[in-house]
Amino acid sequence: KTQPGDSRDAHIWPVMSQKVRYNGTTFERRHLAAAQMAKDMLSMGDPIMRRLATAALSHLGQGEALKHCQDFVKALKDPDRGVRYSATVYLAFARSFSGPSPVQEHTAEVAELLQDEDPGIRYWAIETLANQGFASQPQAEKLHTALQDIDPHCRLAAAKAVARVTPNYIPEAAALLVQSLDIEEPEIFRKSAVEGLGYMGEEALKYLPRLKQMLQDSYPLARAAAAWSISQIGANAVEQCCEELARCLDDADLDVRVKASTALQALDIGTALGSSEPALRCWGAGKAGEAPDGVEYVEALAGLLQDDYKEVRAKAAWAMAAMGSAAADYMAVITMAVKDENPDVWPPMLRIISRHLPQALTEALTEMSSHMAEGDPERRCRAIEATGAAREAALPFLDAVAGCLEDENVAVRLASMEALHCAGKRGVRKGDKTLAKLAKTDPDSQVRREALGLLRNYMIAGKFGLDNVF
C-alpha cells in the first residue's frame, strides 16, 4: 500500500481504468500494452517466449491483431517450427471486416513456407493462400507444385486452393489428381486425390468413370470421398453415377452411406423409379413416399408393386400407403399385393385397403389370418401387424390374433398386443385373460411390461388383481 507523497502514487488509477504501465510507458488500454509486450517477446532468444508472443498477438481480436500483420509475417521466417506454425495458422484465419486483408500483400512470404519441412506448416500456408483468393495468383506455380506434396492433406488443400485462386489451371490440376487414383498408390493418397476432384467442378466430368471405380475402392474413406466429389461436381454427375451411388446405400461404412444418400438428393425421383438398378428404385420409392408432391409418382409406385425384387416391392408398398386416396385407383394391383410372397408388403397394403378400399377388406383380412399359423415367425409377425393396420374393422378377425399372444416367439407376442391395441378397448378385451397371464408369468420382461400397460390403459387391470403389480 502506497503512502501519501510516495513517488508511485502518480501511477495509481481508478479501479475501472484500463490504463497499464509497461516498460516505462503508460498505455491507455491493456491490450495495447499486451501487444507491445508480445512484439518485444518476438525478439527474444527463447523460442518458447516467441511462441507465446505469436499466441498473444492472435488473441487480441481480429481488428487489433491485423494491425500487427507485419509481425506475423516476420514470424513466418522464425527458426523455430512452433513460432512459424502459430503465425501461419493465424494468417490462415485472418479476416478483415473493412477492406482488403493486409495478408494479401504478403502472399510471397507465405508461399515460401510451401517448402517447409513441417507438413502442418505447409498445409496452413496453402490454406492462407487459398483464403486470399485472386491475390495469390502470383504464387500459382508453387500451388500447382503442392498438388504433388508428400503429405495427402497438403495435396487436398492445394486442390482447393487451385480451384479458388487459379481456375484456369483446373484442367491440368484435375489430370494430375487422377494420376493418384491408381490402386498402387497408398490409400490415403487415393482418398485425398478423389476428394480433390470434387473441387474441380465440371472439369472433373470427364473423369466420372474413375470416380465410379473409386466408389468400389477397398478403402472406406476413399469411397466416401468419391460419393462426396460426385455430389460437388453437380447434378449431371449425380445422374450419370446414380446407379453406383445407390449401391453404396448398403455399404458397410456409415460415412459412405451418408455421403451417397446426400449425393442422390440431387437426382429426380422419377428418374430413380424408372431405373434398371434395384437399389435406385428402392431409394426412389422411399423418397416418393416422403415427398410433399409424392402423388405424382403414384402410377410408377403401383407398377413397382409387381417388381421382380422384393425389397423394391416393400418400399413401393410403404410409399403407396402415404399416397392417401390416390392409391384407391389401383385396386387390382393392391389386392394382388396382399398375396405377395414378401410379408413386408402386407401391412401397408392393409392400411390402404382399410381406409380406401373397404370392399376388399374382408378378403384381405382372411388372407392375413391364414398366415398366422405359418412356421416362419416373421411372416406371422407381419400378418398380425397387417391385421392391426385395419384397426376396428379387424375386430371379427382378432380371435386369431389373440391366439398368437402365447406364441413362442417374443416378437410375435408383442406384435399381437399392438394389433389388439390398434382395435381399441374391444380389441383388447378379446385377449384380456391371456394378457393378464402374460403380465404375471411371461419370461420376457418387455412382454410383461407391455401386457400390464395395455390392461391399465383400458382400466381393466383391476379385474385380474393387477392394480398393485409393478
Side-chain angles (χ1 to χ4, degrees), residues 379-398:
R379 291 175 70 84
R380 297 200 300 274
C381 253
R382 297 298 171 267
I384 293 167
E385 289 173 10
T387 302
R391 299 183 294 192
E392 290 187 356
L395 279 171
F397 298 87
L398 289 184

Side-chain angles (χ1 to χ4, degrees), residues 5-263:
D6 194 314
S7 60
R8 291 175 295 170
D9 191 47
H11 304 310
I12 298 176
W13 297 291
V15 175
M16 298 302 293
S17 174
Q18 287 284 318
K19 291 184 178 180
V20 175
R21 189 174 181 83
Y22 164 69
N23 205 19
T25 303
T26 300
F27 293 86
E28 294 295 323
R29 294 287 186 270
R30 294 175 184 174
H31 72 274
L32 298 177
Q36 184 57 52
M37 184 182 298
K39 289 170 67 71
D40 294 342
M41 290 167 64
L42 281 173
S43 60
M44 292 183 176
D46 187 350
I48 299 299
M49 298 302 290
R50 298 200 301 276
R51 292 184 188 185
L52 290 172
T54 54
L57 286 174
S58 65
H59 282 80
L60 292 176
Q62 289 284 358
E64 182 63 31
L66 277 176
K67 296 178 183 178
H68 302 278
C69 179
Q70 194 64 47
D71 294 311
F72 285 105
V73 173
K74 179 182 177 182
L76 295 178
K77 299 181 179 180
D78 194 280
D80 181 73
R81 180 183 302 180
V83 177
R84 298 197 304 276
Y85 183 87
S86 298
T88 313
V89 170
Y90 170 75
L91 292 176
F93 288 101
R95 298 290 185 274
S96 174
F97 300 103
S98 58
S101 169
V103 182
Q104 294 181 356
E105 302 174 8
H106 302 284
T107 57
E109 291 91 330
V110 175
E112 291 179 8
L113 292 179
L114 299 185
Q115 305 298 322
D116 197 279
E117 61 181 11
D118 189 323
I121 294 175
R122 297 199 303 274
Y123 173 85
W124 288 110
I126 295 169
E127 286 287 327
T128 302
L129 293 174
N131 291 336
Q132 308 317 310
F134 293 134
S136 296
Q137 282 190 340
Q139 317 309 324
E141 286 301 323
K142 293 181 179 179
L143 283 175
H144 303 164
T145 303
L147 287 168
Q148 296 177 296
D149 194 281
I150 59 173
D151 183 83
H153 304 291
C154 292
R155 290 189 184 189
L156 180 56
K160 183 166 62 174
V162 167
R164 189 179 299 181
V165 175
T166 59
N168 293 336
Y169 187 76
I170 285 179
E172 297 176 53
L176 195 60
L177 289 169
V178 169
Q179 295 178 11
S180 297
L181 299 182
D182 293 335
I183 194 64
E184 292 81 12
E185 289 283 336
E187 56 187 23
I188 190 63
F189 284 99
R190 298 200 303 274
K191 181 264 181 186
S192 62
V194 74
E195 188 173 347
L197 283 172
Y199 295 106
M200 301 295 107
E202 293 187 356
E203 186 59 38
L205 281 172
K206 66 176 74 173
Y207 301 112
L208 283 183
R210 298 301 302 275
L211 287 173
K212 290 181 181 180
Q213 292 177 2
M214 292 303 297
L215 289 173
Q216 301 175 359
D217 195 272
S218 59
Y219 186 44
L221 291 181
R223 298 198 300 274
W228 178 86
S229 291
I230 291 170
S231 69
Q232 296 302 302
I233 294 169
N236 190 11
V238 172
E239 185 172 351
Q240 294 184 49
C241 302
C242 59
E243 295 185 358
E244 290 78 6
L245 287 168
R247 295 189 197 107
C248 290
L249 295 175
D250 292 326
D251 196 277
D253 186 82
L254 174 62
D255 194 32
V256 177
R257 299 196 299 272
V258 170
K259 293 290 196 306
S261 178
T262 302

